[in-house]
Every structure is written in structure tokens, then in C-alpha cells.
Amino acid sequence: MEQPFKAVKISEHVHWVGAIDRDIRDFHGYLTSRGTTYNAYLILANKITLIDTVKAPFREEMLSRIASVISPRDITYIVSNHSEMDHSGSLPEVIQAANPEKVFASVMGVKALEEHFHWGNRAEPVKNGGTLDLGNMKLSFIETRMLHWPDSMMSYLDGDALLFSQDAFGMHLASRERFADEIDDDVLEHEGARYYANILLPYSRLVTKLLEKVAGLGIPINVLAPDHGPAWRKDLKRMPELYSKWAAQKPTRKAVIVYDTMWQSTSKMAGAIGDGLTEGGAAPKLMSLKSCHRSDAAAEILDAGALIAGSPTLNNGIFPTVADVLTYLKGLKPRNLVGAAFGSYGWSGEAVGQAQETLSAMGVEIAGEGIKAKYVPDNDVLARCRALGRDIARRMLTIQAENLKED
Ligand code: FEO
């Protein structure tokens, strides 16, 4: 029967059978301006195997793509590389439609799927380094615990030298094109960096170890197939090299200033600190939270050397948008940053201290005492802001020089 959606062949034995979500803009708090794809893959081995599924509302699209190649009832195995709902949401319905002999997941994946679906342990565990015989090919499993969930794993198909890398090396990018070499390079790097900053940044030390682990396996890889965005069949080192750079978070001259303002006073202070940073040799990036999203700030600090937070005091506390972005960034555990806090106030002025405390709790080295301006900053306050910018720049350049020496 003619299907409304078609599978796309990505290697000799593997078809992409995922779904394209052009409309999503909020991926658990991350602004996905270009939508996303939920990638699932069908291996046409002797024992036909499905790798991952899609978010629940897209199950019909996925089943249609499968049906454009085979009957879903021909699927023998389903492998769940990751239990997060964008990949497992339609798993129960797909199992019902396909009636596979077995469903596999990592040891932690079996537990997580049970805790999602309460289905009497329908999935069976596979071990790190374990294999699954597909008749004419073999699937091997590589656990990637906490990258980015406890259950996460990758699967490797020896026949096509294809690594199903699950969330790693992916990006939120809805496109008809299925391969990275069909997409503009700048878009790939921009969305890849946003994805890393917003999803994987807290696990950067594990990313470095994983890159070593995969390289150490010495397996040939002809196709890298993540669970979001395009697959890679050319330039296969590009994403691993970028991951290596992003995971290191080496300090740069970029200083990110996130701030909001009520009556332009905190905004004026941000501008003066930016001027001081420039005078000191740093490169300020001012991010007004009236026009920037928290995930834009996350993407900018990926290659920054400073994070400076500006907040007016509202009702004895930090301004809501600034609290939002600092809470979000704190969770992402950025490293190697210096910073400071500033802001205006009317009568109590708690926000600057609260912002500075949050920065310290994030591990940001405080490079200068926070500056408060009562109501509207005068020339003296603005001069202090410029001096703070110069002090921060000086500290950034010192750290950068020390870093270069260590290299
Ligand atoms: Fe794409 Fe962690 O889910």
C-alpha cells in the first residue's frame, strides 16, 4: 500500500524511519528555533531490527515510514538506546503493532522503561560490550551512562560500520535532508553547539572519556547516526573534534553579560561594563534577557571566559528573568569562567548579592565586587562599572595566558 511517509536509505542495510517535528520550539526549556527530528532506524538484517522509536504524537509517521519498506510485523527485535520520551514515547504502540520477539535496552534502560511504562519488564537487558546476532550481521552495545541519562547507550552495526550514537553528535534541526553533507556548514556548527551547550555541557568530563573510549575500540565507522538531526557519512571526525573542543571549555576572550532592566539603569551599567571589558582587551557579548532566551545564553557561554550577571532588585529579590537564566546555567555546570554581578535598586538592593552568590555556587571565580546603583547610575557608578569591566578583562587574559602555557 502506498504510504504517506517514506523511509530513507542511509546505508546498505539501514533505513531512517524517524519523524520530522518542524513546530517544536520548547524542548524541556531549550528553544529549538529550527525544530527537530526524532530519528529511528530500521536494520534490514536477517532478523529485522528497529533502533529506537519516536515521540508519541509521531508514531503514525514512523509506522508509515516502516511500512514503506516492510510490514511492521516483520520486525524481530527492537533496541531502545535511550528511554527519554522523545525516543521511547511511542514504544508501547510500536510493540503492539510489530509484536517483536524481543525488546532490548541497557541494564539501566530496562529499569527506566519499566518506570515509564509499568509494563512488567517487557524489555531485556544487554551488557556493555555485549552483542546481538542479527543472522547476517552483528549489533554491539556500548554503554554511555550519564550521556546524558543513566540508561544511555550506543549500538554499532558491524555490517555497515554504522554507529547509532543516540543523543550524542545530534542536533535539533528539522530538515528533509538526511545527511550532514547536504546541509549548510554554518547551520550544522551553530545547531551542534547549541545542542551540546543545552544538553551535554554538564557531562563534559564524561564526553572526553567517551571520545577516548570510542577511539580506543578501533572500530571502523562509515556512518554516524544520531537520534536528532542529520546522519554523517563524510567528514566523520568533525563532530567528535568539535565535542572535544566544547568539552574542554578552554577560556576565551569572550565575556557574556546577561541582564534585564526595569527602567534602563541596569542596562546602562551593562553597557559601561561592556566598555570596560573592551578597553581591557576582552570581547563583551551583551545579552538582554528581553530579547535573548536562556538557551541562547547557554550557547554563548560554551566558548566564553566570563559570565557577568545584571539584575535590578524587584520585591527584595533577583529579577525573574535573571533568576531563570542563572538557574538554568547553574544546572549546565559551565567551567573556567570568571564573573561578577551588578544591578540597580530602589531601597533594599538584594539582587546583586543573590546573583553573586549564584555565580559563586556555579564555580564562577568572582573577579570584582558586585556594583549596585541606587535608582539611576551617576557618572561615578558608571566609571566603577567600566573599571570592573577592565578588572574582569585583566583576569580573563591572565587565565588565558596561563592556559596557553599549560598547553
Ligand atoms: Fe533525545 Fe535524551 O533524548
Side-chain angles (χ1 to χ4, degrees):
M1 192 176 81
E2 185 70 15
Q3 293 295 325
F5 297 96
K6 302 280 187 260
V8 181
K9 192 170 178 176
I10 64 159
S11 67
E12 189 179 349
H13 300 95
V14 177
H15 282 74
W16 174 83
V17 290
I20 303 172
D21 185 350
R22 291 188 173 81
D23 296 332
I24 187 168
R25 291 295 180 271
D26 180 351
F27 195 97
H28 54 53
Y30 161 9
L31 174 67
T32 48
S33 308
R34 288 187 166 104
T36 195
T37 62
Y38 312 108
N39 297 339
Y41 300 99
L42 191 66
I43 305 172
L44 298 182
N46 288 353
K47 292 185 186 290
I48 294 175
T49 301
L50 178 67
I51 305 288
D52 284 323
T53 66
V54 297
K55 194 172 170 181
F58 294 87
R59 64 178 172 271
E60 293 308 322
E61 179 175 339
M62 176 187 175
L63 286 168
S64 169
R65 291 191 198 277
I66 293 171
S68 74
V69 188
I70 55 151
S71 161
R73 307 294 285 187
D74 294 337
I75 292 171
T76 306
Y77 300 137
I78 298 178
V79 173
S80 168
N81 275 335
H82 180 25
S83 64
E84 193 165 6
M85 298 281 247
D86 49 334
H87 310 297
S88 71
S90 58
L91 186 55
E93 287 80 8
V94 173
I95 289 173
Q96 209 168 21
N99 193 28
E101 279 178 25
K102 295 187 181 211
V103 178
F104 296 104
S106 67
V107 173
M108 296 302 283
V110 169
K111 287 185 189 167
L113 290 172
E114 177 62 26
E115 285 155 359
H116 277 78
F117 301 120
H118 313 288
W119 59 7
N121 284 315
R122 176 69 174 84
E124 297 179 29
V126 291
K127 288 188 178 155
N128 180 43
T131 57
L132 179 65
D133 183 4
L134 306 185
N136 54 340
M137 275 175 278
K138 191 176 71 179
L139 202 57
S140 309
F141 304 107
I142 306 160
E143 273 189 1
T144 59
R145 283 192 189 199
M146 293 319 298
L147 281 174
H148 68 121
W149 273 25
D151 61 278
S152 301
M153 70 172 184
M154 298 181 179
S155 303
Y156 176 72
L157 182 67
D158 64 350
D160 289 9
L162 188 153
L163 183 67
F164 301 104
S165 62
Q166 181 250 318
D167 275 340
F169 310 125
M171 64 188 69
H172 288 312
L173 174 60
S175 69
R176 284 177 60 80
E177 296 80 12
R178 292 275 51 85
F179 288 103
D181 53 83
E182 300 166 323
I183 295 169
D184 187 88
D185 249 11
D186 291 344
V187 172
L188 294 173
E189 186 154 340
H190 179 80
E191 293 302 337
R194 278 183 75 81
Y195 186 91
Y196 187 94
N198 283 278
I199 304 279
L200 293 165
L201 188 59
Y203 313 105
S204 286
R205 287 190 172 90
L206 293 174
V207 168
T208 305
K209 284 187 186 157
L210 173 74
L211 292 170
E212 288 164 6
K213 182 176 167 181
V214 172
L217 293 174
I219 47 174
I221 298 174
N222 291 338
V223 182
L224 192 56
D227 270 0
H228 298 286
W232 296 74
R233 62 185 168 185
K234 293 180 185 170
D235 205 4
L236 287 155
K237 288 190 177 157
R238 172 105 183 265
M239 286 307 278
E241 281 172 1
L242 284 170
Y243 268 44
S244 178
K245 182 180 93 170
W246 294 329
Q249 290 177 73
K250 289 200 173 155
T252 69
R253 290 170 56 249
K254 181 163 83 175
V256 175
I257 306 177
V258 290
Y259 69 95
D260 209 335
T261 196
M262 288 166 67
W263 297 106
Q264 300 309 310
S265 290
T266 304
S267 174
K268 281 180 191 153
M269 297 172 81
I273 292 170
D275 290 345
L277 284 160
T278 305
E279 287 161 16
K285 172 86 185 177
L286 272 71
M287 304 192 79
S288 162
L289 295 175
K290 296 201 188 308
S291 55
C292 296
H293 192 267
R294 65 178 85 86
S295 46
D296 300 331
E300 289 294 343
I301 61 164
L302 186 57
D303 64 350
L307 172 62
I308 302 152
S311 175
T313 294
L314 178 68
N315 299 329
N316 307 107
I318 199 164
F319 202 68
T321 51
V322 183
D324 173 287
V325 81
L326 289 182
T327 301
Y328 189 72
L329 295 179
K330 185 177 174 216
L332 294 174
K333 301 183 175 63
R335 291 181 290 151
N336 303 328
L337 294 169
V338 299
F342 64 96
S344 69
Y345 70 104
W347 48 96
S348 57
E350 291 91 341
V352 172
Q354 290 174 12
Q356 187 166 307
E357 267 173 37
T358 307
L359 290 173
S360 292
M362 287 167 71
V364 173
E365 177 191 316
I366 301 301
E369 213 32 57
I371 298 178
K372 292 184 196 176
K374 189 154 192 197
Y375 289 121
V376 175
D378 60 13
N379 286 339
D380 283 349
V381 170
L382 292 176
R384 282 172 55 214
C385 287
R386 280 194 295 280
L388 177 63
R390 288 193 297 272
D391 287 347
I392 295 170
R394 196 173 306 119
R395 183 65 189 135
M396 289 171 73
L397 297 186
T398 302
I399 292 172
Q400 213 186 1
E402 286 167 1
N403 217 277
L404 284 174
K405 256 191 248 163
E406 282 166 22
D407 285 353

